Every structure is written in structure tokens, then in C-alpha cells.
Amino acid sequence: MSRFNEIYERACYRKGGEAKLRALLNAPQSTTTLAEYSDDMWLEEFTRKIFQSGFYWSVVNSKWEGFREVFWDFSIDKLLYMSPDMYEQRSQDERIIRNFKKVQSIAINCHMIYELQQEHGSFSQLVAQWPSNNIIELWLTLKKKGNRLGGNTGPFALRALGKDTFLLTKDVEAYLRAHKVIDGGLQTLKSLRAAQSHFNELQDTSGLSMTAISQIIAYSVGDNAIQST
């Protein structure tokens, strides 16, 4: 427990006390809640995170109602029948951010979700039941079967909708490297497995969610400190 206690105490100090730190932590959704999500919600969030990558998030968010209009509220049932020509035409619609390659990801990820629906009953069921102590395999599934969901994009989308997952942000990466958990490329299988093992260890000793542990680590390092009061 001593390793996590050190992280926790440092995060508390940097954020102005335990109460203030606790107020910053997000709680993941329950398995039941996640399983009840519409699969359309996942396609929408994947698309949002893909467009936010490399863009100001505020610009993407300001355009989001336009995205929903152009892509039928991200209805998988409807988008399955959209032809490549229609995607190309809609990629030039002024209501959205006009980036054809990113628009193409909607079609690919729509088909990915549909295919996984056939295997698991629903995509939401798949995500809900996936164990967080092996969450990197879900990341890798999204990267392999989907489009533009590698790196942090897929994990950020999972976190946004409440799946319990750690994130390999710059602050978390800095922590993992400083503690010799990883020493090679961040997204190599070796590094991902080492990170997963480390987070599993911290979860076993702390009893906290992967989400909370990830946030606490991030708040314990980097340029995010505030003065204690």
C-alpha cells in the first residue's frame, strides 16, 4: 500500500487537500448502465474523439449538432446503408468539420460495431462486460477492428462514456517512465502489458477504480499543481 499512499498523498498536497482531490475524481459507470447504452452512442463518441484529435475540442463541440444532423444522430441502422459516395458528399457539408479521411472512419467504425453486435448481442454489452484488469485488450480490439481508434483515441472515448479505464496521458506516461514501469515505446505491446500489470497492482492495494487511480497519478505529477490552502 505504501507505493499508492505516496502517490495519493502527493496528489492531495498538489491539489490543495484530500477533499479537493476527491472532488476532481470521476466515477465510472456501472456494468448495468453501460450495457443499457445504445450502440449509436459509442459510434458518436468514437467520432467525436477522432475529430477532437489534433483539433481544438471547443471547435469540434461547437459543430457537434451539425454532425448529428448530417449523420442521422449516428444511427448505425441507417449509416450501414450510406454509400461511399454519400460519405464523400457529406464530408464537404459546411455543418461539420470537413475532413474526408476522418469522415470515412464513421463508415468503418459503424461496420465494426455492427460486426461485434452480431457476436455479443450488442456493442454495449461487450464493453460493459470487458474486465478492467485487461482493458488494454479492448483498446487493441478497437485499434485492430476500427479506424483511427489507436493511441489514446479509443481509450478517451471509453472513459468519456464511463468505462473504467486508465489513460496513458503525458503525465501518466511520465510517472510510468520515472518508476521504470515502461522504458520503450508507449504503445508497444510490452509497454501496454507492463502498464496494465502496474495498474492492476495499484488497484489491488487501493481498492479504487482504474479511472480514479489514473487521475490520481496524473494529479501527482506534471504541471497541474495548485497551492495548498
Side-chain angles (χ1 to χ4, degrees), residues 3-227:
R3 176 183 291 179
F4 183 76
N5 281 343
E6 291 175 4
I7 299 167
Y8 186 77
E9 289 171 6
R10 180 171 173 77
C12 287
Y13 175 76
R14 287 165 58 84
K15 303 315 288 186
E18 184 173 18
K20 290 184 178 180
L21 173 65
R22 289 280 181 173
L24 293 170
L25 302 180
N26 297 325
Q29 295 290 351
S30 68
T31 298
T32 300
T33 298
L34 288 170
E36 292 174 348
Y37 282 173
S38 161
D39 286 354
D40 300 349
M41 292 173 61
W42 295 104
L43 180 60
E44 178 173 359
E45 198 58 42
F46 290 149
T47 305
R48 190 198 307 267
K49 290 297 177 280
I50 287 168
F51 274 88
Q52 285 176 338
S53 178
F55 243 95
Y56 287 110
W57 286 27
S58 59
V59 174
V60 177
N61 291 338
S62 70
K63 288 272 193 179
W64 205 251
E65 282 307 310
F67 274 91
R68 301 200 72 200
E69 292 169 3
V70 171
F71 296 107
W72 297 323
D73 293 332
F74 295 94
S75 168
I76 291 169
D77 289 342
K78 293 179 180 178
L79 290 174
L80 284 171
Y81 295 99
M82 186 181 285
S83 68
D85 286 345
M86 290 178 69
Y87 274 105
E88 185 170 5
Q89 291 168 4
R90 294 186 183 216
S91 71
Q92 298 305 311
D93 195 300
E94 293 184 353
R95 289 174 290 177
I96 70 169
I97 294 170
R98 290 174 287 181
N99 184 314
F100 180 49
K101 290 186 177 180
K102 289 190 175 185
V103 166
Q104 284 180 309
S105 74
I106 300 173
I108 298 170
N109 292 328
C110 178
H111 281 84
M112 171 194 70
I113 291 173
Y114 175 75
E115 289 173 4
L116 290 171
Q117 283 176 344
Q118 310 314 300
E119 298 177 35
H120 301 278
S122 76
F123 185 79
S124 291
Q125 284 281 358
L126 171 67
V127 174
Q129 297 297 329
W130 203 289
S132 290
N133 64 5
N134 194 23
I135 197 67
I136 62 164
E137 292 299 331
L138 180 54
W139 298 359
L140 293 171
T141 297
L142 296 177
K143 178 181 178 180
K144 179 181 178 181
K145 294 181 178 293
N147 183 253
R148 293 179 173 262
L149 295 177
N152 274 328
T153 305
F156 265 104
L158 294 173
R159 169 74 71 81
L161 289 184
K163 178 62 180 176
D164 190 22
T165 182
F166 62 90
L167 296 176
L168 295 177
T169 62
K170 289 182 179 179
D171 288 337
V172 173
E173 179 185 0
Y175 162 85
L176 293 173
R177 292 192 186 281
H179 289 80
K180 310 299 182 184
V181 177
I182 61 173
D183 57 12
L186 181 62
Q187 294 296 329
T188 65
L189 190 56
K190 178 183 176 182
S191 291
L192 292 177
R193 286 175 174 167
Q196 179 77 74
S197 178
H198 188 71
F199 271 89
N200 289 350
E201 179 185 337
L202 293 179
Q203 185 172 55
D204 288 343
T205 56
S206 70
L208 296 175
S209 67
M210 293 289 183
T211 298
I213 295 167
S214 183
Q215 289 183 297
I216 290 167
I217 287 174
Y219 289 137
S220 74
V221 296
D223 299 323
N224 57 65
I226 61 172
Q227 280 191 328

